Amino acid sequence: MRGGGMDIGALDNGDGCEGKDDHVLRGWDKSELLEGKVDWRGRIATKDKHGGQGPSLLILGTFACENIASFVLGVTLVTYFNGVMHYDVADAATQVTNYSGTSYILTVLVAILADTYIGRFTAVFVSCWIEFLGLGLLAFQAHYPKYKPPLCNILDPTSNCEKVDGKNAALLFVALYLVALGSAGIKSALPSHGADQFDEKDKKEAIQMSSFFNWLLLAVCLGGSFSTTFIVWIQQHKGWDWGFFVSTLAMLCGAIIFCVGLPWYRIFVIKGTSAITEIFQVYVAAIRNRNLQLPQDSSDLYEIDEDEEVAISTEFLPHTDTYKFLDKAAIIQTSQQQSEKAINPWRLCRVTQVENAKILLSMVPVFCCTIIMTLCLAQLQTFSIQQGFTMDTRITNSFHIPPASLPIIPIVFLIIIIPVYDQIIVPILRKFTGIPTGITYLQRVGVGLVLSALSMTAASILEVKRKQVAREHNMLDAIPVLQPLPISVFWLSIQFFIFGIADMFTYVGLLEFFYSQAPKELKSVSSCFLWTSMSIGYFLSSIIVKIVNKATKKVTNSGGWLVGNNFNRNHLNLFYLMLAVLSCLNFCVYLVVASKYKYRVQKSLSEKNDSRVHALKDRNSFSIFSM
């Protein structure tokens, strides 16, 4: 999308060709041009023809399909690694958390590519087909016995099961990490591409964008509900191969739905230069200028003139007094008082560039405070599911709920509460607070962190009760599934329910927070703050499990709190209690971090339009961006 310059004065609603300023001004209310966004043909996007709620629904549909395909992996892969590939439970849980962590950390790589080189639409498009390929390979391996270890009951202490190895292990991990890469691309670029369909400086569209993030979680829940019921049922009754095959079909549908919206999308124009590089330039320049004195007047720091032609499409941020050591990157030296073309960006940076670096730096503590919550989530997706296999899964005498379907309980509640929250609770809160989102982003995150601590507390109490039942009925060595304990699996729904509500607040709050605060060239990268915190949480989970087992090896008969396949003789309750304490301490730190954070200053839409109209009156035409 780069080439010759596009002239705002030569456009008539994005279609015709007129060269008169008055024509542009007459058509301004009818069809407002969107700076930095184009349609699929490379023409400047307009509000009446592109973006808005219509195309965003297709994006939500794609996200729902992707979650149908991948959500089930988070709750059944431990069983697949344990029962089919013959890993021990702890090792299986580690493999799953490593997969999840890798998927989330890859979001950063894909986001940088999306924001800098290939664009957000292209990133999502390619990622859909990569995930489709990975799921297809999983289905292929699950279907043919020669690509799997021989059948064996891993839960039988007397059996000697052969673990997957060699080429079959290679096929398993290639397929799994193709899914991880594809899912990473969709998670990193699709929410930002969806938010690009709205103008955050337009009050009406800002409210619609906030609703989009709420409905994004609803799409996750709808996809998750189908995934944890229908696909889990297929896996248990028809086989793993059919389960993976249905996931593959769901991903195919998601890719098709996404492509259908191409004519109506607002596509963000990439610059071909890395905005991440500009952030690094600030730190390098600040270090090089560390011995220089800051001027008393901040207006003496380097910034391009707002009345220049380039200012029509360039972002400007006011100077702030935070992280003053970065301001040294904008100190103008005598030798630098020359033409802008001769300025070395690794020695002198704009004030706006410095402010963008400050914004990202100030978001890091918030990001760090969400890692512990993901650490808790990882346990619900691994150990809590395995707990369910030891319990009574009957709903009626003839119908059993698969333990992997337990997350459907908070999901169903979220499907009900999200529309109520978005359409009723938020408007009521908006009247009292005057905030478009009802409460601030950081307040939403804080509520979620409190609830995650309560979830781990409930999980610890429930595990004490479950082990007490096993002890009272002399079933400490009972075989899971074959010899279920006389306690209903629905007791686990309490911890899933509380954590589900926590997700509604934290998940959406973080996505909105990072997207709204980040520079416009780093919107995809900003959403990766959420996914990266989740990645670190999953990797940390693997590390914590090993550390806990090593630290408690000599003080427990089982050889560690979480060692072995027998949950009735280990100490999962103490592990959950430890996570609850960590969550409480983490929330105390978060209160300090959130209270010190200062939200990004944004220009209003009216100010933006006024400056744009004045610029049009002063000149015949201006180049908004290079195509």
Side-chain angles (χ1 to χ4, degrees):
M1 293 185 182
R2 299 198 305 273
M6 180 171 285
D7 206 349
I8 192 172
L11 289 171
D12 176 14
N13 301 332
D15 295 322
C17 293
E18 296 286 342
K20 300 288 183 84
D21 294 346
D22 57 348
H23 178 83
V24 176
L25 294 173
R26 285 199 307 271
W28 192 265
D29 291 335
K30 178 182 177 182
S31 175
E32 184 178 351
L33 302 174
L34 294 163
E35 295 176 2
K37 294 177 182 177
V38 298
D39 66 6
W40 68 287
R41 293 181 178 179
R43 301 173 301 184
I44 297 181
T46 58
K47 279 194 175 182
D48 64 334
K49 293 182 179 180
H50 307 104
Q53 292 179 316
S56 71
L57 289 177
L58 295 174
I59 294 171
L60 292 173
T62 301
F63 211 50
C65 288
E66 195 278 333
N67 276 275
I68 291 175
S70 65
F71 197 96
V72 68
L73 299 181
V75 294
T76 62
L77 269 182
V78 171
T79 306
Y80 185 67
F81 270 95
N82 181 241
V84 179
M85 299 301 174
H86 303 154
Y87 283 79
D88 289 339
V89 171
D91 291 337
T94 298
Q95 292 296 338
V96 174
T97 52
N98 287 345
Y99 151 77
S100 299
T102 300
S103 178
Y104 287 123
I105 203 68
L106 283 172
T107 59
V108 178
L109 174 63
V110 179
I112 292 174
L113 291 174
D115 282 345
T116 307
Y117 299 110
I118 64 176
R120 294 162 195 165
F121 172 85
T122 304
V124 176
F125 176 80
V126 173
S127 297
C128 284
W129 297 109
I130 291 177
E131 186 169 353
F132 170 77
L133 175 61
L135 290 167
L137 288 176
L138 283 176
F140 173 82
Q141 181 176 38
H143 182 71
Y144 293 101
K146 66 178 181 179
Y147 297 111
K148 299 177 292 183
L151 292 176
C152 179
N153 185 5
I154 190 72
L155 299 176
D156 186 352
T158 62
S159 61
N160 186 20
C161 298
E162 179 183 334
K163 184 178 176 181
V164 66
D165 60 0
K167 294 181 180 179
N168 292 345
L171 176 60
L172 171 65
F173 288 108
V174 166
L176 193 61
Y177 284 94
L178 279 175
V179 176
L181 177 60
S183 182
I186 293 172
K187 285 182 173 65
S188 64
L190 190 140
S192 298
H193 177 63
D196 284 342
Q197 308 311 306
F198 306 97
D199 184 355
E200 60 185 317
K201 294 182 177 65
D202 183 315
K203 184 176 181 181
K204 179 181 177 181
E205 292 200 11
I207 294 174
Q208 292 174 342
M209 187 177 74
S210 179
S211 293
F212 167 78
F213 281 111
N214 287 327
W215 294 105
L216 192 72
L217 179 58
L218 181 63
V220 173
C221 293
L222 291 173
S225 64
F226 187 88
S227 189
T228 55
T229 53
F230 182 67
I231 297 184
V232 168
W233 184 88
I234 288 177
Q235 287 176 345
Q236 291 207 339
H237 293 83
K238 301 297 182 181
W240 287 98
D241 52 347
W242 277 101
F244 290 135
F245 178 69
V246 173
S247 291
T248 305
L249 288 181
M251 194 62 253
L252 176 62
C253 291
I256 294 173
I257 291 172
F258 182 72
C259 294
V260 167
L262 180 58
W264 300 284
Y265 289 145
R266 298 176 186 176
I267 300 176
F268 181 78
V269 178
I270 56 175
K271 292 184 176 180
T273 57
S274 176
I276 289 291
T277 300
E278 293 184 357
I279 302 300
F280 287 138
Q281 287 172 346
V282 172
Y283 285 94
V284 172
I287 293 172
R288 285 183 167 184
N289 299 341
R290 62 186 180 279
N291 295 324
L292 301 179
Q293 288 292 327
L294 286 170
Q296 293 183 349
D297 188 351
S298 62
S299 63
D300 292 333
L301 296 173
Y302 173 66
E303 182 61 277
I304 63 173
D305 295 331
E306 291 199 44
D307 59 351
E308 289 187 4
E309 186 173 306
V310 71
I312 299 300
S313 60
T314 301
E315 183 180 39
F316 288 90
L317 293 176
H319 175 264
T320 61
D321 291 330
T322 58
Y323 303 116
K324 287 188 175 182
F325 66 92
L326 292 178
D327 287 338
K328 293 194 174 185
I331 297 177
I332 303 175
Q333 302 180 57
T334 305
S335 59
Q336 293 170 330
Q337 294 177 344
Q338 49 188 317
S339 65
E340 291 189 10
K341 292 183 179 180
I343 290 176
N344 183 351
W346 296 95
R347 287 189 176 274
L348 181 63
C349 303
R350 296 174 54 209
V351 168
T352 297
Q353 192 176 340
V354 172
E355 291 303 316
N356 281 332
K358 290 181 180 181
I359 290 170
L360 288 183
L361 183 59
S362 64
M363 285 161 51
V364 170
V366 177
F367 152 81
C368 291
C369 288
T370 61
I371 294 174
I372 296 297
M373 182 173 175
T374 305
L375 176 61
C376 298
L377 173 62
Q379 314 320 314
L380 294 183
Q381 292 180 337
T382 53
F383 291 121
S384 291
I385 299 300
Q386 295 306 113
Q387 280 178 282
F389 282 103
T390 70
M391 304 170 75
D392 185 359
T393 60
R394 290 179 299 174
I395 296 179
T396 65
N397 289 332
S398 59
F399 184 79
H400 293 247
I401 179 173
S405 294
L406 283 174
I408 190 62
I409 297 170
I411 287 174
V412 168
F413 181 80
L414 285 175
I415 291 173
I416 298 172
I417 197 63
I418 289 173
V420 173
Y421 179 81
D422 184 71
Q423 300 297 314
I424 298 177
I425 298 178
V426 170
I428 293 175
L429 291 174
R430 189 183 298 137
K431 291 181 179 180
F432 289 99
T433 64
I435 301 171
T437 54
I439 58 177
T440 66
Y441 312 128
L442 294 180
Q443 287 171 343
R444 290 192 67 163
V445 174
V447 172
L449 295 181
V450 171
L451 291 175
S452 69
L454 292 177
S455 176
M456 289 297 99
T457 303
S460 179
I461 294 172
L462 185 277
E463 177 60 6
V464 171
K465 179 178 177 62
R466 191 194 65 82
K467 290 178 65 176
Q468 182 180 357
V469 170
R471 193 177 299 107
E472 290 175 351
H473 290 80
N474 197 27
M475 297 180 68
L476 289 176
D477 295 313
I479 300 176
V481 180
L482 298 178
Q483 298 174 312
L485 301 177
I487 178 175
S488 175
V489 74
F490 282 98
W491 280 100
L492 293 176
S493 65
I494 298 174
Q495 61 209 54
F496 280 103
F497 172 79
I498 298 174
F499 203 93
I501 307 304
D503 251 358
M504 184 187 75
F505 283 94
T506 301
Y507 181 92
V508 177
L510 283 174
L511 277 177
E512 283 190 274
F513 171 72
F514 292 137
Y515 185 89
S516 67
Q517 299 300 292
K520 61 183 179 181
E521 293 87 2
L522 290 174
K523 297 299 187 184
S524 293
V525 173
S526 69
S527 65
C528 289
F529 271 99
L530 170 62
W531 311 124
T532 304
S533 73
M534 297 185 75
S535 171
I536 296 174
Y538 280 113
F539 283 126
L540 185 60
S541 174
S542 301
I543 296 171
I544 289 292
V545 168
K546 291 182 178 181
I547 291 175
V548 166
N549 281 336
K550 187 174 182 179
T552 59
K553 183 177 181 179
K554 296 182 179 179
V555 297
T556 57
N557 293 329
S558 59
W561 280 2
L562 306 170
V563 171
N565 293 319
N566 191 342
F567 277 92
N568 298 329
R569 291 192 178 277
N570 64 20
H571 298 79
L572 184 60
N573 57 306
L574 296 178
F575 183 63
Y576 281 147
L577 183 61
M578 181 191 74
L579 292 179
V581 173
L582 284 177
S583 297
C584 291
L585 295 175
N586 178 67
F587 177 69
C588 293
V589 175
Y590 176 79
L591 287 178
V592 176
V593 170
S595 63
K596 292 184 177 181
Y597 185 84
K598 294 182 179 180
Y599 283 93
R600 174 191 182 98
V601 177
Q602 303 243 15
K603 273 191 175 182
S604 68
L605 181 65
S606 59
E607 291 173 337
K608 181 182 175 183
N609 285 349
D610 287 344
S611 63
R612 186 186 298 164
V613 172
H614 287 312
L616 283 169
K617 286 182 177 179
D618 290 341
R619 286 181 173 83
N620 215 24
S621 64
F622 289 104
S623 177
I624 290 187
F625 53 79
S626 295
M627 294 297 292

